[in-house]
């Protein structure tokens, strides 16, 4: 697998609305996704291998995006995918993985001002020994994250030191979150593994779980 960082960045910064991924791609720096469709019909893999530019997330989305059928494999410490200021973003049939024992700090982070985000048919394998998992939060006091749907997903973590899924206002407001038909599990050896948390700080309201195990 060769370094595809520049080719991906050029495609995502162009006027092309849809970028199709067909193979395994090696990424050695941060990637920005703004108002794009990223799709794979062959379960293409984006391998996050190195970070040159300092930032909290390796891949950051803004605006309205559609991401389908992509396998994200993280091989270094950090956070995989961060959503900031998204509206009407849809993530479908994606898989999020990290190498065993890696101090990954989160596979998916809905960080601030995200509205109408739909996540379905996704698999999250958090093999990290450190903190992180899937976070739905609002980092800023004057912002709101709302109308988030997670459906038919599988989430697992062996960390034991952080939640598999966390939904919390943090410093702002998180509201109208629906999690349905989703399996949430911890394979940690801890006697009381962290599974789900809701409402840590800020304002968290109208969070519903239906048909989950």
């Amino acid at each position: 697998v060769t370094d595809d960082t520049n080719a991906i960045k050029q495609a995502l910064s162009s006027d092309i609305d849809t970028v199709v991924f067909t193979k395994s791609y090696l990424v050695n720096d941060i990637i920005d996704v703004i108002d794009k469709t990223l799709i794979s019909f062959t379960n293409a893999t984006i391998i996050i291998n190195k970070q040159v530019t300092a930032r909290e997330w390796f891949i950051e989305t803004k605006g309205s995006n559609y991401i389908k059928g992509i396998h994200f494999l993280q091989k270094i410490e950090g956070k995989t995918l961060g959503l900031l200021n998204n509206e009407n973003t849809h993530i479908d049939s994606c898989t999020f993985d990290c190498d065993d024992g890696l101090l990954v700090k989160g596979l998916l982070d809905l960080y601030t001002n995200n509205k109408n985000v739909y996540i379905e048919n996704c698999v999250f394998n958090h093999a990290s020994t450190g903190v992180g998992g899937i976070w739905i939060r609002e980092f800023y006091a004057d912002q709101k994250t709302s109308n988030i749907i997670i459906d038919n997903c599988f989430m697992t973590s062996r960390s034991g030191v952080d939640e598999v899924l966390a939904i919390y206002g943090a410093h702002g407001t998180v509201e109208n979150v629906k999690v349905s038909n989703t399996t949430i599990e911890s394979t940690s050896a801890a006697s009381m593994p962290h599974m789900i948390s809701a409402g840590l700080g800020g304002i968290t309201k109208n969070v519903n779980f239906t048909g989950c195990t």
Side-chain angles (χ1 to χ4, degrees):
V1 180
T2 58
D3 185 353
D4 299 290
T5 309
N6 289 336
I8 293 174
K9 284 188 173 185
Q10 288 174 8
L12 293 175
S13 62
S14 71
D15 294 333
I16 299 172
D17 293 328
T18 300
V19 180
V20 179
F21 293 82
T22 60
K23 61 183 184 70
S24 292
Y25 301 83
L26 192 65
V27 173
N28 286 324
D29 202 6
I30 60 173
I31 297 293
D32 292 307
V33 181
I34 304 174
D35 295 322
K36 295 291 184 182
T37 292
L38 279 60
I39 193 165
S40 173
F41 302 102
T42 57
N43 195 32
T45 300
I46 295 178
I47 302 169
I48 301 167
N49 185 63
K50 186 187 297 183
Q51 183 178 9
V52 176
T53 307
R55 191 172 67 183
E56 191 162 357
W57 306 272
F58 297 118
I59 303 172
E60 183 178 301
T61 73
K62 295 180 180 179
S64 177
N65 301 282
Y66 179 50
I67 304 173
K68 182 174 182 178
I70 297 176
H71 178 204
F72 298 94
L73 174 58
Q74 185 166 323
K75 302 183 77 65
I76 58 173
E77 297 179 11
K79 297 178 182 176
T80 307
L81 179 61
L83 274 63
L84 291 79
N85 304 309
N86 281 247
E87 186 167 3
N88 302 320
T89 283
H90 186 182
I91 302 173
D92 182 12
S93 303
C94 292
T95 300
F96 296 80
D97 279 318
C98 60
D99 280 357
D100 287 353
L102 204 61
L103 289 175
V104 171
K105 299 176 182 178
L107 298 175
L108 178 63
D109 185 4
L110 277 69
Y111 184 72
T112 182
N113 191 31
N114 293 296
K115 296 175 174 60
N116 305 322
V117 176
Y118 186 24
I119 302 163
E120 63 171 336
N121 307 318
C122 291
V123 175
F124 300 88
N125 296 312
H126 195 262
S128 171
T129 57
V131 301
I134 298 95
W135 294 336
I136 301 172
R137 57 178 174 161
E138 180 48 68
F139 191 79
Y140 296 105
D142 59 345
Q143 298 292 334
K144 179 187 293 185
T145 285
S146 62
N147 301 328
I148 310 300
I149 296 175
I150 298 175
D151 182 51
N152 195 37
C153 291
F154 177 82
M155 305 175 180
T156 184
S157 173
R158 71 179 184 88
S159 167
V161 299
D162 211 346
E163 307 93 340
V164 182
L165 172 64
I167 304 168
Y168 59 111
H171 306 290
T173 299
V174 170
E175 65 180 12
N176 303 332
V177 179
K178 297 180 180 179
V179 184
S180 59
N181 308 312
T182 291
T183 298
I184 304 168
E185 69 173 23
S186 172
T187 58
S188 168
S191 58
M192 295 184 66
H194 291 60
M195 296 288 286
I196 303 170
S197 70
L200 297 174
I203 299 171
T204 307
K205 56 185 179 180
N206 195 19
V207 177
N208 293 287
F209 290 83
T210 305
C212 296
T213 57

